[in-house]
Amino acid sequence: MSLAQQISALPAPLLKRLHDRGFEAPRLARWAATLGVERDARNRLPGRVEPPAPDDIAAAPVEGTAEHGRHRERGLAALSAGEVALCVLAGGMATRMGSVVKALVEALPGRTFLDLRLGENAHLEALASRPGAHVPLWLMTSEATERPIRDALGPRLDGARCATFEQNVSLRLTPEGALFLDEQGEPSVYATGHGDLPDALRRSGLLARFLERGGKTVWIANLDNLGATVDPAILGWHLDHGDPLTVEVVDKVGADRGGGPVRWNGKRIITEEFRLPHGFDPGAVPVFNTNTFLVSAAALDALAMEWTYVEVEKKIGDRKAIQFERLLGEITAALEPRLLRVPREGLASRFLPVKDVPELERRRPEIEAIARARGLLG
């Protein structure tokens, strides 16, 4: 039976579930046809790739300077005008924390990651001087995290000030290109990555309603990076420079690895390290991407691009499965970014990722200090 026939034979409720979340059977068939042939060609950037130029990376405004004060006032004005939405990537399961929903893990005693993001949202609304101004909080969830997060939010989930929307899904394949079936003989559904955000956000209707109300900027950050709070001075810097996209980067330290900025055929982009051409030295890139983006809402709504879905091999039980994912940083191929180097140390740190329990335990003092300093604890 061909892959197309396998998909057509799936139960109608499953097909509806898939298509409601962006699944396209012809696209999966095209991917299946390249298995074992083009993985490296698909995953790596073609053409000329060079390190970023020295003047490609700007420094964040320093608190206490006139520049910082000027940008902060611009950012506060945008918050007060209701022109900013905070979009948090909350689709992940904390596989290294017991495979629970990461949003509901206690980042601090008695306070989950979700609690702290809600605290940030309340603090931002307090900063806005105009009565009634609010900063919408949008959480991009996955099928696995949507219901638990909605249950945790309860009545706060009003669709206006607080809302969730689900990312896309697809079906895993065997290395031979057939549907991968789990131990129960069912197709294996997975989320296709945080690059789903532009499509999923448009599908939700949240972006269109935000634009209708005069919304201008969407601030995107990882749930588990509690350093990446909305900073009025950085917001003002982004607005004052007038480009559709700003990406926060931090200096590499020691053996740091990760995606970062390069020049691709002369153009600034963000890319993952595994997408660099053979022979390119990642050490030539002095900073890496924090996955914090400030993007024009209008540009995000109008974004039209051909996404690269990278091929990834996964171990499901004792078997190999293939899935195709896209990465949010690739929006820089369509919207050339400004790159802003931000601090990663002390109370000014904007990079506090938490991937497992030991890292969370180690970072808790930093997280608590920053949460108190930035109003996340209410």
Side-chain angles (χ1 to χ4, degrees):
M1 185 183 295
S2 70
L3 179 61
Q5 290 171 323
Q6 284 185 289
I7 295 171
S8 296
L10 294 175
L14 175 56
L15 286 172
K16 182 178 188 308
R17 169 186 160 197
L18 293 169
H19 289 296
D20 285 350
R21 292 164 179 81
F23 175 73
E24 296 179 12
R27 182 170 60 196
L28 184 62
R30 290 195 298 273
W31 294 339
T34 68
L35 288 180
V37 179
E38 297 182 357
R39 179 183 298 179
D40 205 51
R42 174 192 291 110
N43 287 357
R44 293 188 185 275
L45 291 170
R48 188 176 80 258
V49 179
E50 302 167 301
D55 60 356
D56 282 344
I57 304 167
V62 177
E63 188 168 2
T65 64
E67 179 195 22
H68 183 277
R70 184 176 69 255
H71 292 316
R72 177 177 167 79
E73 287 304 311
R74 176 73 184 272
L76 287 172
L79 290 170
S80 296
E83 295 176 353
V84 183
L86 172 59
C87 187
V88 175
L89 305 175
M93 298 291 289
T95 54
R96 286 176 279 185
M97 295 181 181
S99 293
V100 296
V101 177
K102 183 175 278 190
L104 307 184
V105 171
E106 288 193 355
L108 296 174
R111 302 291 184 101
T112 65
F113 283 101
L114 180 59
D115 290 333
L116 294 176
R117 285 297 186 183
L118 289 166
E120 175 188 9
N121 190 245
H123 176 67
L124 291 172
E125 296 196 348
L127 282 178
S129 58
R130 183 170 64 83
H134 65 272
V135 180
L137 173 62
W138 302 331
L139 297 121
M140 186 172 81
T141 62
S142 65
E143 283 196 311
T145 67
E146 167 77 358
R147 178 49 55 190
I149 287 176
R150 290 183 70 88
D151 288 346
L153 288 169
R156 290 171 294 199
L157 193 68
D158 62 3
R161 299 175 72 170
C162 184
T164 65
F165 64 99
E166 283 190 50
Q167 66 188 110
N168 292 7
V169 299
S170 189
L171 296 170
R172 292 189 174 100
L173 300 173
T174 67
E176 296 73 34
L179 283 186
F180 181 93
L181 303 180
D182 64 20
E183 293 179 352
Q184 287 73 45
E186 299 295 327
S188 183
V189 180
Y190 72 97
T192 46
H194 46 63
D196 294 341
L197 187 146
D199 291 348
L201 186 55
R202 285 195 296 258
R203 186 172 65 237
S204 73
L206 291 167
L207 189 56
R209 292 194 291 275
F210 180 60
L211 285 164
E212 288 170 3
R213 295 194 302 269
K216 299 289 179 63
T217 303
V218 180
W219 187 299
I220 303 167
N222 283 349
L223 171 82
D224 66 352
N225 179 11
L226 291 169
T229 54
V230 174
D231 183 316
I234 290 176
L235 173 62
W237 187 94
H238 165 74
L239 295 171
D240 283 339
H241 283 81
D243 292 286
L245 179 63
T246 295
V247 181
E248 293 190 5
V249 296
V250 291
D251 287 328
K252 289 181 179 177
V253 174
D256 275 342
R257 305 289 295 271
V262 295
R263 285 262 177 172
W264 180 39
N265 296 326
K267 181 180 178 180
R268 291 187 304 274
I269 67 162
I270 294 290
T271 193
E272 294 301 311
E273 192 169 306
F274 71 86
R275 298 205 65 208
L276 295 170
H278 291 295
F280 185 96
D281 178 13
V285 181
V287 296
F288 64 89
N289 171 32
T290 68
N291 223 40
T292 302
F293 301 83
L294 288 74
V295 60
S296 155
L300 192 59
D301 186 53
L303 185 67
M305 59 180 289
E306 187 67 30
W307 287 88
T308 300
Y309 285 81
V310 296
E311 182 181 330
V312 179
E313 186 176 288
K314 291 284 185 179
K315 198 77 175 290
I316 309 295
D318 60 354
R319 294 182 296 150
K320 290 180 181 178
I322 304 296
Q323 63 189 49
F324 293 82
E325 303 173 0
R326 57 179 170 174
L327 305 164
L328 183 57
E330 198 179 3
I331 65 171
T332 58
L335 303 173
E336 188 167 9
R338 284 196 176 265
L339 306 170
L340 188 67
R341 179 190 274 112
V342 296
R344 62 178 295 176
E345 302 294 338
L347 278 180
S349 174
R350 299 196 53 75
F351 189 61
L352 291 174
V354 175
K355 302 304 179 188
D356 54 29
V357 172
E359 187 170 37
L360 176 58
E361 293 294 339
R362 187 170 65 252
R363 287 198 181 278
R364 272 190 170 136
E366 296 173 85
I367 291 171
E368 182 171 7
I370 282 177
R372 291 191 182 282
R374 301 186 195 175
L376 277 60
L377 296 178

